[in-house]
Amino acid sequence: MSLPRLPSVVVTLAAPGATAADDREALRTAVAAAAAVDASAVRAGRVCTHCGGTDHGRPWATVDGSAVGVSLSRTTDVVALAVGPTALGVDVERVSRVAAAPLDAFTDREAARASGDATELAVLWAVKEAVLKRDGRGLRVDPRSVEVDLDRMVAVLDGVDHPVAVSFPAPDTVLAVAADGVPVTVAGSAPRRRPR
């Protein structure tokens, strides 16, 4: 059976599982839902492109042997599970987390434009992470080598424009998807942050 081309990236937001394995199982379920197949048709796992390990690294999935683009991101009280027709990267962040832990990840132009605004810094950080996940190298690449242009909704890495989509699915929450301009649909909602 050949997999029909998925028309968009579907990002499912949910409460995270108790373990990383639970989140990976949720990603397998999200793939089945997006592809409209039984979960038994989905194979999924992780592989590190750097060392070849399968206990960490970039997630992958197939439906009846056909590759599907997937990505996963966690932050406080929410997991984002992304499924699409092409390689993609997703990142979900809490604005308050970025504000509480200042990052040395921004170019001079980005820092000047943001002027310390926590929401803009969280958007910049989420976009950088999404693009680096899509690229496959992740944070082995200095995030300052990704130049984010929010006016054009692209991030430039290695001289190449990567279109991005950004949304705010809940208060204090930013979601960024890098999927080469494929439309993005968000399913579910980011759970409200639990009081600590």
Side-chain angles (χ1 to χ4, degrees):
M1 173 182 149
S2 121
L3 178 67
R5 181 166 164 79
L6 297 170
S8 66
V9 173
V10 177
V11 180
T12 302
L13 299 173
T19 67
D22 293 336
D23 290 345
R24 285 192 296 275
E25 183 58 27
L27 181 61
R28 194 167 83 77
T29 301
V31 170
V37 299
D38 188 85
S40 64
V42 178
R43 292 192 59 237
R46 290 181 97 65
V47 66
C48 177
T49 56
H50 184 65
C51 74
T54 57
D55 62 336
H56 64 284
R58 186 180 193 158
W60 61 267
T62 62
V63 176
D64 289 328
S66 296
V68 176
V70 293
S71 188
L72 182 147
S73 178
R74 297 175 197 85
T75 193
T76 307
D77 299 330
V78 65
V79 63
L81 310 160
V83 180
T86 186
L88 59 101
V90 67
D91 193 53
V92 63
E93 295 292 344
R94 297 288 189 182
V95 173
S96 56
R97 278 179 41 111
V98 173
L103 303 166
D104 183 21
F106 306 109
T107 66
D108 291 342
R109 186 191 67 78
E110 292 166 342
R113 177 183 163 141
S115 293
D117 178 81
T119 299
E120 185 149 345
L121 292 171
V123 169
L124 292 168
W125 175 248
V127 166
K128 288 172 182 274
E129 280 233 66
V131 167
L132 291 172
K133 285 180 180 182
R134 181 178 192 274
D135 173 72
R137 292 178 286 174
L139 291 177
R140 287 191 313 276
V141 173
D142 183 348
R144 289 173 294 198
S145 68
V146 178
E147 181 80 32
V148 179
D149 183 339
L150 295 177
D151 292 328
R152 295 188 311 130
M153 292 306 291
V154 299
V156 181
L157 173 63
D158 298 334
V160 177
D161 284 359
H162 298 272
V164 295
V166 174
S167 62
F168 298 89
D172 191 42
T173 307
V174 61
L175 177 70
V177 178
D180 204 25
V182 174
V184 176
T185 303
V186 179
S189 61
R192 294 238 182 235
R193 195 168 178 182
R194 292 184 293 231
R196 302 276 177 220

